[in-house]
């Protein structure tokens, strides 16, 4: 299953705490059985300085391919969303509820059919990365 994880912050970011660690743990735990694409920003929570990561292209981070969008560039985010669309994900997992760029915009685009038939669960931040593979898939598809 191809899972596109859209989240405002991802490793090496750490200041956002639990949601970042949960997303990283989910990819680490299930990355051998599922393909993970992560679309995220290039800053850490509460920081304006960019992380030391390549931006606006796919990079391998653990078991995922990650697109770090420039925080100050709508064009970079738009390019990342287009890359996710081209990948035809089965699931578009939004790891935030109210973030304008990394939840509201992708959710609106999904409702308009931009990501095809991808299922779109939205995290309420207590995803358990230690759960079984089949339970993860069922919950992602049903939420």
């Amino acid at each position: 299953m191809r899972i596109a994880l859209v989240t405002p912050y991802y490793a090496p970011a750490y200041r956002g705490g639990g949601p970042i660690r949960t997303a990283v743990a989910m990819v680490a735990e299930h990355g051998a059985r599922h393909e993970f694409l992560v679309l995220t920003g290039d800053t850490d929570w509460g920081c304006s300085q960019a992380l030391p990561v390549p931006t606006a292209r796919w990079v391998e981070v653990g078991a995922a391919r990650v697109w770090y969008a420039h925080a100050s560039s709508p064009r970079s985010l738009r390019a990342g969303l287009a890359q996710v669309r081209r990948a035809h994900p089965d699931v578009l997992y939004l790891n935030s509820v109210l973030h304008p760029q990394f939840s509201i915009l992708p959710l609106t685009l999904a409702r308009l059919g931009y990501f095809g038939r991808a299922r779109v669960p939205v995290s309420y931040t207590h995803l358990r990365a230690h759960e079984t593979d089949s339970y993860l898939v069922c919950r992602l598809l049903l939420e």
Side-chain angles (χ1 to χ4, degrees):
M1 177 177 295
R2 182 172 293 140
I3 301 168
L5 170 62
V6 181
T7 182
Y9 312 105
Y10 192 75
Y14 64 93
R15 293 177 184 258
I20 297 169
R21 288 192 308 271
T22 298
V24 170
M26 178 175 68
V27 170
E29 178 68 24
H30 301 288
R33 291 175 300 282
H34 303 288
E35 179 183 354
F36 281 91
L37 307 171
V38 179
L39 173 59
T40 190
D42 70 342
T43 59
D44 204 345
W45 182 79
C47 296
S48 58
Q49 183 176 0
L51 295 164
V53 294
T55 56
R57 65 183 176 94
W58 290 114
V59 295
E60 300 291 326
V61 178
R65 286 190 300 150
V66 181
W67 181 283
Y68 293 97
H70 292 288
S72 61
S73 172
R75 184 176 298 161
S76 181
L77 177 61
R78 188 170 51 243
L81 289 165
Q83 288 293 318
V84 169
R85 178 185 188 189
R86 283 186 200 103
H88 303 287
D90 300 300
V91 175
L92 182 73
Y93 185 80
L94 305 178
N95 197 34
S96 175
V97 176
L98 298 175
H99 195 281
Q101 292 89 357
F102 292 96
S103 64
I104 296 172
L105 176 61
L107 182 59
T108 301
L109 290 171
R111 297 288 184 225
L112 294 172
Y114 184 77
F115 298 105
R117 300 179 64 100
R119 306 262 188 200
V120 187
V122 178
S123 173
Y124 38 91
T125 70
H126 71 274
L127 173 69
R128 292 175 301 278
H130 62 274
E131 62 200 8
T132 66
D133 185 52
S134 59
Y135 183 72
L136 168 76
V137 171
C138 290
R139 192 164 51 74
L140 286 173
L141 293 175
L142 295 174
E143 282 190 22

